């Protein structure tokens, strides 16, 4: 049975374009349409969607949009009204969108208004025996569920890093505007500003090739009987700067800052990886001064290649949880790596003699 699909996305408030995850989910939606032979429509919302629509135009698909200044910032009431209007106009059976906080906030409400059902944190969608089957993980990525639903419309919100991003040339999109009544009654919530954690450096980089994880060992007394926090901070920040890696932390390390112990100043709870932290997706991971206990390692579920540096040859990583374990002092290894990066940088842009 062919099933009509709506690919739903919003523009990134800061740049006016689609976020990277939208291109990934667009690729997944096109695969779904190719498998089922169903129609596919693009639905966009934001204050000015033309540039975003142009970035998808070479797909040749119909574009519906609510493009209004009232959508310059996320707000439940106006976003839900815009999404509802697009969904009603498209009248699709399956609606697929990227897992951004903006879309996740409204999707359950819109599904309710349209008497449909919604599933989130989807990692793949395939056609099996004529029916779409979505997958997601539960219990911190330990159980994988396979979901089919008879309800329509069925809203599926897909996580980042689960499908290759669609790439196409820029073209001019013919955007079909959809009317949505974004009345003043829907605008009682006003946008005040963005607050970010008080860190000197932007350390969480979801698109980085490498996840660099620091554990509590960086703050422990070392062979000389002393802690070396300034050296640890310098080594880690230099490494992040040179490698472009994203920074993760073990629970023990991030908890220490909450307990007012001396810690790495740039590490917050947002960096925590694991059962009670995040489960990022990166091609490679390097764990340093972290023991590799199970509640921590479940956060590495989607790291393809795992390496660890630990002084202890019997640490948790040594028990099959890392592909490669370097039994070494992380201070020495990272300092050496930073020196190699500096040499590489010097070769790329040699200093001009005075
Ligand atoms: C319900 C529950 C949920 C949890 N959720 C999480 C979670 O989400 N994320 C998480 O991380 N933890 C979680 N934990 C805690 C977890 O079990 C561990 O306690 C924690 O991960 C340990 O952190 P760590 O490895 O940084 O510290 P430690 O266990 O103290 O290990 C420090 C390591 O550093 C090494 N080291 C010291 N100096 C050096 C050096 N110079 N070079 C190399 N290595 C060095 C030591 O050999 C040691 O192995 C959870 C626990 C529970 C009970």
């Amino acid at each position: 049975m062919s099933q009509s699909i709506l690919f739903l996305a919003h523009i990134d408030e800061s740049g006016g374009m689609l976020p990277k995850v939208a291109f990934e989910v667009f690729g997944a939606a096109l695969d779904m349409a190719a498998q089922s032979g169903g129609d596919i429509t693009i639905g966009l919302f934001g204050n000015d969607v033309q540039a975003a629509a142009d970035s998808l135009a070479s797909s040749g698909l119909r574009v519906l949009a609510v493009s209004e200044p009232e959508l310059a910032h996320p707000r439940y009431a106006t976003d839900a009204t815009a999404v509802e209007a697009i969904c009603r106009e498209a009248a699709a059976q399956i609606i697929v969108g990227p897992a951004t906080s903006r879309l996740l906030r409204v999707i359950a409400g819109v599904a309710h208004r349209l008497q449909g059902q919604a599933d989130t944190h989807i990692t793949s969608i395939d056609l099996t025996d004529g029916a779409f089957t979505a997958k997601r993980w539960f219990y911190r990525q330990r159980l994988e569920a396979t979901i089919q639903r008879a309800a329509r419309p069925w809203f599926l919100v897909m996580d980042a890093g689960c499908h290759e991003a669609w790439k196409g040339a820029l073209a001019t999109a013919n955007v079909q505007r959809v009317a949505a009544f974004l009345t003043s009654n829907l605008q009682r919530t006003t946008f005040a500003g963005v607050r970010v954690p008080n860190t000197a450096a932007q350390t969480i980089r979801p698109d980085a090739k490498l996840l660099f994880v620091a554990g509590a060992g960086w703050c422990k007394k070392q062979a000389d009987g002393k802690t070396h926090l300034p050296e640890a901070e310098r080594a880690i920040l230099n490494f992040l700067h040179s490698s472009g890696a994203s920074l993760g932390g073990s629970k023990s390390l991030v908890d220490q800052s909450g307990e007012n112990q001396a810690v790495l100043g740039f590490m917050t709870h947002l960096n925590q990886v694991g059962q009670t932290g995040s489960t990022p997706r990166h091609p490679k991971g390097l764990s340093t001064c972290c023991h590799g206990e199970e509640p921590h390692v479940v956060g590495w579920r989607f790291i393809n290649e795992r390496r660890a540096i630990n002084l202890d040859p019997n640490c948790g990583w040594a028990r099959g949880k890392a592909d490669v374990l370097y039994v070494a002092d992380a201070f020495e290894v990272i300092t050496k790596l930073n020196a190699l990066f500096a040499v590489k940088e010097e070769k790329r842009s040699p200093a001009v003699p005075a």
Side-chain angles (χ1 to χ4, degrees):
M1 188 181 72
S2 88
Q3 311 208 46
S4 54
I5 297 167
L6 170 67
F7 165 72
L8 187 65
H10 59 83
I11 59 171
D12 182 348
E13 303 91 75
S14 52
M17 295 302 290
L18 293 172
K20 180 169 175 268
V21 57
F23 291 98
E24 296 170 3
V25 179
F26 186 53
L30 289 174
D31 280 359
M32 289 168 69
Q35 287 181 43
S36 69
D39 291 344
I40 175 162
T41 303
I42 297 170
L44 300 176
F45 66 102
N47 62 339
D48 180 1
V49 304
Q50 188 62 47
D54 290 350
S55 69
L56 301 179
S58 61
S59 66
L61 299 176
R62 175 185 178 215
V63 183
L64 302 176
V66 179
S67 188
E68 301 293 347
E70 290 84 353
L71 300 173
H73 295 290
R75 171 173 43 207
Y76 179 83
T78 41
D79 281 359
T81 302
V83 172
E84 181 186 352
I86 294 170
C87 293
R88 288 196 188 279
E89 179 68 28
Q93 291 157 310
I94 310 276
I95 292 134
V96 192
T100 60
S101 61
R102 187 168 184 175
L103 203 55
L104 283 165
R105 191 181 301 128
V106 298
I107 218 70
V110 175
H112 182 70
R113 289 181 193 187
L114 296 175
Q115 295 178 327
Q117 290 184 1
D119 285 288
T120 54
H121 294 295
I122 299 302
T123 53
S124 72
I125 310 164
D126 286 300
L127 199 70
T128 31
D129 300 329
F132 281 120
T133 305
K135 287 190 176 162
R136 67 158 289 175
W137 293 88
F138 283 103
Y139 187 37
R140 283 291 164 190
Q141 337 311 340
R142 288 178 172 112
L143 298 170
E144 191 181 35
T146 299
I147 310 165
Q148 290 185 343
R149 285 192 191 272
R152 296 290 182 270
W154 187 18
F155 291 77
L156 292 161
V157 185
M158 196 167 183
D159 276 348
C162 298
H163 195 283
E164 206 170 315
W166 177 84
K167 287 196 185 83
L170 272 181
T172 305
N174 183 10
V175 177
Q176 183 185 331
R177 301 280 289 260
V178 175
F181 299 99
L182 308 175
T183 56
S184 56
N185 194 34
L186 301 179
Q187 296 174 48
R188 284 172 299 172
T189 303
T190 55
F191 173 78
V194 176
R195 278 198 204 167
V196 291
N198 187 18
T199 52
Q202 173 56 45
T203 57
I204 299 175
R205 302 168 177 147
D207 295 333
K209 291 204 177 87
L210 178 71
L211 173 71
F212 176 88
V213 178
W218 284 103
C219 303
K220 296 224 156 106
K221 284 182 183 163
Q222 295 298 307
D224 58 2
K226 295 179 187 149
T227 60
H228 292 268
L229 281 174
E231 290 93 328
E233 290 203 328
R234 235 182 352 261
I236 294 171
L237 283 178
N238 276 345
F239 181 80
L240 294 177
H241 174 73
S242 307
S243 65
S246 188
L247 178 67
S250 71
K251 181 165 164 56
S252 293
L253 181 55
V254 303
D255 277 357
Q256 285 176 25
S257 55
E259 289 156 8
N260 295 327
Q261 294 183 40
V263 278
L264 308 174
F266 46 82
M267 188 68 88
T268 75
H269 277 93
L270 293 177
N271 294 95
Q272 188 191 313
V273 168
Q275 179 173 349
T276 42
S278 66
T279 316
R281 289 170 195 267
H282 297 274
K284 294 182 179 187
L286 177 64
S287 157
T288 54
C289 294
C290 161
H291 197 71
E293 282 197 33
E294 174 62 13
H296 175 74
V297 175
V298 293
W300 285 63
R301 185 72 181 75
F302 301 121
I303 304 299
N304 298 342
E305 190 189 317
R306 307 157 176 214
R307 296 187 180 207
I309 306 171
N310 199 307
L311 282 171
D312 177 4
N314 287 316
C315 71
W317 295 113
R319 293 175 211 139
K321 290 177 183 162
D323 300 306
V324 178
L325 169 68
Y326 303 98
V327 179
D329 184 324
F331 280 83
E332 286 176 19
V333 177
I334 300 303
T335 305
K336 177 76 183 169
L337 279 173
N338 286 339
L340 291 172
F341 273 126
V343 171
K344 207 170 153 192
E345 186 56 34
E346 173 69 24
K347 277 192 189 144
R348 207 178 300 139
S349 47
V352 182

